[in-house]
Amino acid sequence: MTQTVINPRIRGFICTAAHPAGCAANVRKQVELALKDGPGRGIGNALVVGSSAGFGLSSLLTLAFAHGAKCLGVAFERPAQGDRTASAGWYNLVEAHRLAKIHGRSIDTINGDAYTTAIKEQVIAALKASGVKLDYLVYSLASPKRTDPVTGITHASTLKPIGPSFTAKTVNLDDSSVGPITIAPATDADVANTVKVMGGEDWQLWIDALRAADLLAPGFRTVAYSYIGPQLTHAIYRAGTIGAAKDHLEATAKTLSNSLAAIGGHAWVSVNKALVSQASSAIPVVPLYIGLLYKAMKAKGTHEGTIEQILRLFRDHIGPGKQPALDANGRIRIDDFEMAADIQASVQAAWDKVDTANLAAISDFAGFRSEFRGLFGFELPGIDYTAPVEVDLALNA
Ligand code: NAD
């Protein structure tokens, strides 16, 4: 048992400490919304791959608390070691498990590398042991690397433009200064590696393995998450290496849907809104865009967090009995409020004039910063950060 006072340790988009009480508060807030929003039943069994943070955590909480699903999650999180805290995702899941027990819901977690065959086999064994077939699978991994289970080669994803180098404004997360950044173009290998990590290959492997084990129920539904965004971030996001991976993910949804038709199943990609997460904070230019976007969306009253987004996804599009509205490319669009013409016009106008001096006034970069700290359980109301807390918490207490 290790009681300690925990302070944030942040550099750029990396934070190496997490506060268990703050992470628990984040999860409680999401669970309250999910309990209020959903029917509390309707979805039998669900698997969430990438269940401990961001959109995946909100998917787990939506499925378990809004729709009463028996949930199994896969995440790759670090337990506490001595007085070193566990990762934020670990503490998120500790609280999710605790609240599931209190509210009569069911959440189990397998902690390990979802890209490996061993973890897929562990999930299959767990599902077989509990005698259930899956009605839903949410695929929400965001990772900097993946080892191909066939070749053993480890691929690293990159965030680079394809074609010419890209120069744009960005914000320095350490000193909040705004200045230009130039990002050199990707090589062909960068593109291929990013597609290997963040494309649809592993999603397909999950579905193939579960199907071969006869673990998909009739009418099975699966969804993975993508992003498009505006012209401002186009060169670094959608037309960049990560965009190539998202193209592959979206093509995989079509392949999967075709093959799942035999069991009355569907695979979709949902295009979600830009939000502060560990993954999105690492993308150059995007934090500045998010600061301006939050300002515009909060002013209009259309701002959503991951939980509001995913509750809406299930409520309006993919929950039991729902048929999603799709765009011309077959994608679900819950980025609709972000992409609204008036929001984008106001972001563009602010983008043209934003600099270090006016950043605080014309953007919600303060919102970005505090949400970023909030991801790790810091700067949340009602938490006494001067009090020592237990850092060594078991996932399944
Ligand atoms: P995140 O960093 O908040 O969460 C990533 C999750 O993946 C965590 O649960 C982590 O434990 C898990 N994970 C990472 N590597 C793993 C591995 N090897 N094995 C098992 N689990 C692993 O990320 P996020 O921003 O919520 O992104 C999730 C998905 O949503 C991504 O596909 C991302 O592109 C997409 N998306 C994000 C945004 C955004 O603005 N954040 C917008 C639209 C779409």
Side-chain angles (χ1 to χ4, degrees):
M1 289 304 189
T2 316
Q3 296 256 341
T4 183
V5 173
I6 306 164
N7 294 306
R9 274 183 281 166
I10 298 174
R11 237 187 116 212
F13 57 85
I14 308 284
C15 178
T16 53
H19 199 286
C23 292
N26 281 334
V27 171
R28 271 198 305 280
K29 226 165 64 187
Q30 295 199 39
V31 167
E32 271 165 33
L33 290 172
L35 285 169
K36 250 190 261 161
D37 188 271
R41 66 193 141 70
I43 296 177
N45 299 288
L47 174 64
V48 179
V49 182
S51 61
S52 56
F55 282 108
L57 174 65
S58 294
S59 303
L60 180 81
L61 302 177
T62 294
L63 283 157
F65 293 94
H67 294 278
K70 183 173 161 56
C71 290
L72 180 59
V74 181
F76 203 13
E77 299 296 346
R78 189 193 66 232
Q81 281 167 336
D83 62 359
R84 187 173 175 218
T85 72
S87 55
W90 180 276
Y91 292 138
N92 290 341
L93 289 175
V94 168
E95 184 66 1
H97 286 193
R98 193 184 74 82
L99 293 174
K101 280 191 196 126
I102 290 174
H103 293 280
R105 302 299 207 267
S106 173
I107 298 178
D108 283 311
T109 299
I110 290 180
N111 191 46
D113 185 349
Y115 292 130
T116 60
T117 306
I119 288 293
K120 291 183 178 74
E121 283 170 353
Q122 217 176 306
V123 165
I124 286 169
L127 291 171
K128 287 216 149 152
S130 61
V132 302
K133 291 193 186 198
L134 291 173
D135 300 287
Y136 280 80
L137 186 156
V138 175
Y139 186 84
S140 186
L141 290 186
S143 172
K145 57 182 183 0
R146 168 178 174 236
T147 301
D148 185 311
V150 176
T151 63
I153 295 169
T154 299
H155 301 272
S157 69
T158 53
L159 295 158
K160 294 184 183 173
I162 299 174
S165 63
F166 173 57
T167 300
K169 285 181 190 176
T170 198
V171 60
N172 180 321
L173 299 182
D174 290 322
D175 65 8
S176 303
S177 63
V178 176
I181 183 173
T182 296
I183 306 156
T187 62
D188 290 348
D190 288 332
V191 179
N193 284 326
T194 308
V195 170
K196 268 281 184 189
V197 181
M198 290 296 288
E201 191 174 274
D202 182 62
W203 186 22
Q204 171 99 48
L205 288 174
W206 271 103
I207 302 292
D208 289 350
L210 291 161
R211 197 161 177 197
D214 194 22
L215 286 169
L216 305 185
F220 167 78
R221 295 177 156 202
T222 183
V223 66
Y225 299 139
S226 186
Y227 183 67
I228 297 176
Q231 201 53 40
L232 278 174
T233 58
H234 190 68
I236 187 66
Y237 197 94
R238 195 63 207 204
T241 47
I242 183 69
K246 293 302 184 191
D247 288 345
H248 187 271
L249 188 78
E250 291 170 17
T252 304
K254 291 188 179 146
T255 312
L256 286 174
S257 243
N258 288 337
S259 74
L260 289 170
I263 57 164
H266 286 280
W268 293 290
V269 155
S270 170
V271 180
N272 300 354
K273 166 187 194 276
L275 277 168
V276 181
S277 74
Q278 282 179 257
S280 68
S281 305
I283 309 174
V285 184
V286 167
L288 182 57
Y289 168 71
I290 289 180
L292 297 170
L293 177 72
Y294 275 27
K295 179 91 172 177
M297 292 188 80
K298 286 179 183 175
K300 192 182 171 191
T302 55
H303 179 68
E304 296 172 306
T306 51
I307 189 68
E308 289 88 353
Q309 282 259 289
I310 302 302
L311 287 171
R312 182 155 73 93
L313 175 66
F314 278 81
R315 193 192 315 124
D316 293 353
H317 295 283
I318 64 169
K322 299 279 175 194
Q323 280 310 319
L326 303 175
D327 72 8
N329 293 307
R331 304 171 292 209
I332 301 166
R333 301 298 297 268
I334 56 168
D335 64 339
D336 45 356
F337 301 162
E338 170 183 356
M339 300 311 287
D342 58 340
I343 291 291
Q344 286 302 321
S346 104
V347 171
Q348 180 69 58
W351 183 271
D352 292 340
K353 58 182 187 216
V354 69
D355 58 23
T356 305
N358 65 21
L359 178 70
I362 70 167
S363 84
D364 185 31
F365 188 62
F368 174 92
R369 281 178 69 96
S370 78
E371 252 188 57
F372 179 74
R373 284 164 163 70
L375 293 177
F376 304 92
F378 296 109
E379 291 188 13
L380 293 159
I383 309 284
D384 179 3
Y385 290 101
T386 63
V389 287
E390 176 58 52
V391 297
D392 190 6
L393 301 179
L395 209 47
N396 290 301

